[in-house]
Amino acid sequence: METIGRDIVPQTGAEKVARLSFFSLPGRTKAAMSAANHKFLHDFTISMQDNIGSLLNIKNCVIDQMMQDRSLLGQLFWKCGQAELDFLTNSGLWFGFMLGIIQMVVALFWENPWALSIGGCIVGLATNWLALKWIFEPVNPTQVGPFLLQGQFLRRQQEVAKEFSAFFANNVLTSEKLWGSILNDPSTKESFGLLFTNHLKRFAHVLTGGLGFLLPGGILTKASSLALKELPNHLHVLHPYVNEALGLQYTLRTQMEKMTSAKFERVLHPIFEEDELTLIVAGG
């Protein structure tokens, strides 16, 4: 309330007079003003919840952060795909050994100076191709005789969901980052400012109307603009509560665990797909 008052009252000696006037008011009046303050916060919070689609663009929030700090995507990939990267690296030993035996047998019966070179290239290509297939296929659990086959990554759905949700909740979709997006994203900034201004004007009218006078609309608009500039400096007290209340880590984890195998496969596979051919050719 005091901050809003400073924004409404011009920065002169009138500010001190306003403060003294407030403290000299009867207790019942100050209680009514405090109640109006709580109602302003309550109603504004409800309005934000009702209009969250126009106030927060999650896609822009995530993309902006990934563009500002490109290491975030690398950290996410490392956390969620470390086992697959290790498998891709280590599989070369086992697949290469098995395919190498076939190459050795062929070399015994086909004497050609290019046999080892051509065979080595084929083995390298096949090794990485098989490793990539082993990671993501089959997408759905498939029974083959006594064996139940499914891609390595897909079998780790619960483990990946836990790592993915923890990373996003602690690094990307935190209260600080969400508020930063609301206040600075060009697609949401105007909507938030308009909503805040409307509620602040109603709040100011309640206060000043109770005291027997009304402030001109121009002063209230200026006060709203100043308050919006100051708002980021006061939001830090909300972050712990917002992070706990949102419970994003639990929500993300449970929703990812409920994904079908086909949807979950698209969490990591697109990153490999971009360089899949390069990985296979590198093996050759």
Side-chain angles (χ1 to χ4, degrees), residues 99-100 103 114-127 283-284:
L99 294 173
Q103 180 186 3
W114 289 97
L116 290 177
S117 298
I118 295 174
C121 179
I122 294 173
V123 167
L125 292 171
T127 296

Side-chain angles (χ1 to χ4, degrees), residues 24-184:
S24 65
L25 290 172
R28 184 175 299 179
T29 303
K30 288 190 287 187
M33 295 177 71
S34 180
N37 185 40
H38 285 292
K39 180 173 172 51
F40 161 71
L41 293 174
H42 175 270
D43 291 349
F44 180 61
T45 302
I46 296 298
S47 291
M48 284 192 66
Q49 293 173 344
D50 292 340
N51 296 278
I52 195 63
S54 62
L55 300 179
L56 176 62
N57 188 319
I58 291 291
K59 181 178 179 180
N60 287 355
C61 178
V62 173
I63 291 176
D64 288 345
Q65 290 183 66
M66 295 297 181
M67 294 300 292
Q68 291 170 12
D69 185 359
R70 295 177 184 272
S71 67
L72 280 175
L73 185 59
Q75 293 173 36
L76 176 63
F77 179 67
W78 185 262
K79 281 184 172 293
C80 296
Q82 180 61 46
E84 283 63 45
L85 287 173
D86 290 342
F87 175 78
L88 190 61
T89 303
N90 299 331
S91 63
L93 173 64
W94 306 106
F95 288 144
F97 176 74
M98 291 185 290
L99 294 173
I101 293 177
I102 299 175
Q103 180 186 3
M104 181 182 68
V105 173
V106 171
L108 290 176
F109 294 95
W110 184 38
E111 294 184 5
N112 188 300
W114 289 97
L116 290 177
S117 298
I118 295 174
C121 179
I122 294 173
V123 167
L125 292 171
T127 296
N128 281 7
W129 179 79
L130 281 172
L132 288 170
K133 291 296 181 183
W134 197 291
I135 290 173
F136 297 107
E137 295 183 19
V139 173
N140 296 307
T142 304
Q143 193 74 40
V144 179
F147 303 104
L148 183 65
L149 303 180
Q150 190 178 23
Q152 290 274 92
F153 175 69
L154 299 162
R155 290 206 299 265
R156 295 198 310 116
Q157 183 164 348
Q158 290 194 347
E159 180 184 343
V160 172
K162 181 179 179 181
E163 291 287 349
F164 187 95
S165 60
F167 182 87
F168 260 80
N170 296 324
N171 298 279
V172 180
L173 298 178
T174 63
S175 172
E176 183 179 0
K177 301 296 176 59
L178 292 174
W179 271 106
S181 181
I182 290 172
L183 295 173
N184 299 304

Side-chain angles (χ1 to χ4, degrees), residues 159-232:
E159 180 184 343
V160 172
K162 181 179 179 181
E163 291 287 349
F164 187 95
S165 60
F167 182 87
F168 260 80
N170 296 324
N171 298 279
V172 180
L173 298 178
T174 63
S175 172
E176 183 179 0
K177 301 296 176 59
L178 292 174
W179 271 106
S181 181
I182 290 172
L183 295 173
N184 299 304
D185 185 343
S187 68
T188 61
K189 184 177 181 179
E190 185 177 349
S191 296
F192 179 80
L194 182 61
L195 185 69
F196 180 82
T197 299
N198 289 337
H199 278 270
L200 182 60
K201 285 182 176 180
R202 284 202 293 268
F203 169 63
H205 284 317
V206 169
L207 287 185
T208 57
L211 296 174
F213 67 94
L214 293 176
L215 289 171
I219 291 181
L220 291 176
T221 301
K222 182 180 180 182
S224 175
S225 177
L226 292 171
L228 282 170
K229 290 180 181 178
E230 287 294 322
L231 188 59

